[in-house]
Each structure stands twice: as C-alpha cells, then as structure tokens.
Amino acid sequence: MTTKTSPDGRRIVWAAGGVLWRITGSSLQIGLVHRPRYDDWTLPKGKAEPGESIFTTAVREIAEETGFSSVLGRHLSTASYALNDHTNKRVHYWSARATGGDFVPNHEVDEFDWFDVAKAQRRLTYRLDRKILAQFTSLPADLHTFLLIRHAKAGRRSQYRGDDRLRPLDKNGRAQALALVDVLEAFGAQRVHAADRVRCIQTVAPFAQRVGTEIAIEQLLTEEAYRSDPSATHDRFTELACDTSYVRAVCSQGKVIPPTMQWWAQRDGVRLAPNRNRKGSVWVVSMTDDAMVAADHIASPLPTVTD
C-alpha cells in the first residue's frame, strides 16, 4: 500500500485483518489473539508492507498472528483512529475462513484460541472489535464467494486497427493483470472464466497460470451477447455464482458488468456501493443459496491507497 495524508494533514498508516472463523461440527468458532504488549484480546490484524495490496496484508497478518491460513470473504468494516498527533491508522477487516494451520507463540502474540461467538464477544477487549464481530454475525458465516472482474486496460478501441475482439492489454493492463493474481488468491479463487475477448482472457491468464487451471471461454458474457439477450447473460452469471463447488473468477466487459450488477442487486435487495467500473476492478459477490446477500467493490487490483 502507498500512503497519503488525511484531510487533517495526518499521515495514514494502512492495516488489515479480519474475523477468522471455522465451523467445527455444527459450531461456529472465532479465532482471537492475545498480545502481551497490551494485555488484550483482539481480532488478528497488522500493518501493510510497502508495495503490498491490502488484501494480501489481511491474509498475511492473520497467518503471522494466528498460524492459520485463510481466504477472504465479504468486507466487514474500515476503522480509523489516531495513533498520535501526526498519524492515523486505517484498518480494513474481512470475513476470513480458516483453511488450516497451527498456532505457534511469537513475540507479538503469546496466546491464540477458538471461541464460540458469545464467548468471543465477552473475551474481546475493545468495543470496536465487538462491533466488527457483530457485523460479521449479521449474515451467515459460510457464504459463497463469486468474483466478477472488468478486463484490464487495453488502450482505446478507436485507436486499434483490426478486429476488436483481438485487442490485447496494453502495458498498464498487463500490470493490472499481474496484480490481480494476489487479489484473486486472497479470495480463494479456484476456477477461471473469461468472455470471448483477448483482453478478457489476458486479464485472468496470469492467475490461471498461478493456480494451474484452464480458462473457460464464455460466449454469453460479451457485450454483443448481452445486447442480443440480457436475460441469457444474467442467467449464465448466476449459474456460475450459484455453483458452490468452486470459487470462480469471471472476467467480462464494461458494458456488461454495471447493468448486470444493478439487475442482480435489485432482484435480491442488495445495495451496491458507489463505483466507477474502472478497468481491472473487481466485484466480490457473497452468495447464500441462490441469492446475492452482499457485494463489495475493489476499484483497482494495484497496491494503492484504498478508501
């Protein structure tokens, strides 16, 4: 993450973490850490490193403090508070499903334990952490994630000579595609789909190579297909999103994603965050059964300031 100053002139320190959870039998458990320096029980979190995306920060810090790997789900909250007269700390929190690991005491965390929700609420030292845990429990924990990506930068259509279906990513787009690898990995993507356009395929190609999977080409997710039959495009998106066997990352185009998200959100009663639908942006859609219950927007995959 890069840094910037807040309106009051203070430098912002970025950090990230989350509500680490698992289901054991039928019991939902929350992982909390004890820090000997402060003698407190808190949610795992920590500061971003230079050049690191805030999503990678969350996964890394949770692992370093708890010993557990995790995948992110819905965004819960962003907390901001003053560290001193010159610095504000801004912390992003996500739902984070534990995927395995073991705790080993370290210089920052001497104790870690799993608690049911009621005990976790009582054990947490800070009211802010209790509010974030309450926000987490406002929806079911075990939601299914679907990732919808607008293709990365590919220059101007008017300046490309030739079949526009073959227009490739430009230098900036290739950088975005590489940055997307860490973002999609943080959210646990396992399968990759792309509209039948070179720029869409190239956007997700680095991630597909990282995880060793083929890119499924989607004819129904192009702008032309959407203009011809929006309902067929909507049906294909929801079919992919409702398949809980994998977390899917799907890349489409700028004239498909906004109207589809508006239709989807209106159908399921979800309020979408304001967004500019920039190239390389990502919607993190949280699903339960066959309905969208939350949608978070990532304006850029690059490790830049996130508000």
Side-chain angles (χ1 to χ4, degrees), residues 176-255:
Q176 289 177 315
L178 290 174
L180 271 169
V181 173
D182 288 342
V183 176
L184 301 181
E185 189 170 55
F187 288 94
Q190 300 160 300
R191 293 292 186 271
V192 183
H193 302 250
D196 188 18
R197 294 292 180 270
V198 165
R199 53 195 177 274
C200 293
I201 296 167
Q202 290 180 339
T203 296
V204 290
F207 178 76
Q209 184 175 10
R210 166 74 70 87
V211 298
T213 189
E214 298 293 323
I215 300 172
I217 306 303
E218 299 287 343
Q219 302 290 343
L220 291 176
L221 305 187
T222 66
E223 290 179 351
E224 289 79 4
Y226 183 79
R227 283 198 301 269
S228 175
D229 189 352
S231 62
T233 302
H234 295 163
D235 288 347
R236 182 55 179 159
F237 274 125
T238 54
E239 179 184 19
L240 292 170
C242 292
D243 181 358
T244 60
S245 56
Y246 300 103
V247 175
R248 299 182 186 274
V250 180
C251 186
S252 186
Q253 296 180 267
K255 293 181 181 179

Side-chain angles (χ1 to χ4, degrees), residues 271-286:
R271 184 175 181 179
L272 299 180
N275 67 89
R276 296 175 60 184
N277 188 40
R278 292 173 172 170
K279 292 176 180 177
S281 61
V282 182
W283 280 104
V284 181
V285 178
S286 296

Side-chain angles (χ1 to χ4, degrees), residues 103-120:
F103 174 67
V104 177
N106 56 71
H107 70 284
E108 291 187 0
V109 177
D110 63 345
E111 292 183 69
F112 169 84
D113 208 347
W114 293 99
F115 303 89
D116 66 32
V117 172
K119 289 182 179 178

Side-chain angles (χ1 to χ4, degrees), residues 43-262:
L43 301 172
K45 61 182 180 298
K47 292 187 291 187
E49 295 182 348
E52 181 179 58
S53 78
I54 202 68
F55 319 102
T56 301
T57 298
V59 173
R60 176 184 56 77
E61 283 290 340
I62 289 170
E64 289 180 0
E65 292 199 347
T66 70
F68 283 80
S69 58
S70 64
V71 293
L72 304 183
R74 66 187 178 100
H75 187 259
L76 298 174
S77 183
T78 304
S80 183
Y81 51 90
L83 293 177
N84 52 48
D85 291 341
H86 306 289
T87 305
N88 282 341
K89 190 172 187 179
R90 192 164 293 176
V91 190
H92 286 268
Y93 292 91
W94 281 269
S95 167
R97 177 174 58 85
T99 56
D102 289 293
F103 174 67
V104 177
N106 56 71
H107 70 284
E108 291 187 0
V109 177
D110 63 345
E111 292 183 69
F112 169 84
D113 208 347
W114 293 99
F115 303 89
D116 66 32
V117 172
K119 289 182 179 178
Q121 280 284 14
R122 294 194 294 269
R123 184 60 61 94
L124 284 166
T125 301
Y126 304 111
R127 184 175 66 175
L128 172 62
D129 284 356
R130 293 194 292 271
K131 289 177 64 176
I132 292 167
L133 179 55
Q135 186 178 6
F136 167 78
T137 58
S138 67
L139 289 174
D142 197 12
L143 299 174
H144 179 65
T145 299
F146 175 72
L147 302 162
L148 180 53
I149 308 152
R150 184 182 178 188
H151 70 74
K153 293 181 178 179
R156 294 182 179 275
R157 180 176 304 190
S158 60
Q159 296 177 351
Y160 182 74
R161 296 181 179 178
D163 188 341
D164 188 65
R165 294 173 297 179
L166 305 179
R167 177 158 50 99
L169 299 183
D170 60 19
K171 179 181 178 180
N172 292 328
R174 292 192 295 273
Q176 289 177 315
L178 290 174
L180 271 169
V181 173
D182 288 342
V183 176
L184 301 181
E185 189 170 55
F187 288 94
Q190 300 160 300
R191 293 292 186 271
V192 183
H193 302 250
D196 188 18
R197 294 292 180 270
V198 165
R199 53 195 177 274
C200 293
I201 296 167
Q202 290 180 339
T203 296
V204 290
F207 178 76
Q209 184 175 10
R210 166 74 70 87
V211 298
T213 189
E214 298 293 323
I215 300 172
I217 306 303
E218 299 287 343
Q219 302 290 343
L220 291 176
L221 305 187
T222 66
E223 290 179 351
E224 289 79 4
Y226 183 79
R227 283 198 301 269
S228 175
D229 189 352
S231 62
T233 302
H234 295 163
D235 288 347
R236 182 55 179 159
F237 274 125
T238 54
E239 179 184 19
L240 292 170
C242 292
D243 181 358
T244 60
S245 56
Y246 300 103
V247 175
R248 299 182 186 274
V250 180
C251 186
S252 186
Q253 296 180 267
K255 293 181 181 179
V256 177
I257 294 173
T260 294
M261 288 299 297
Q262 289 292 339

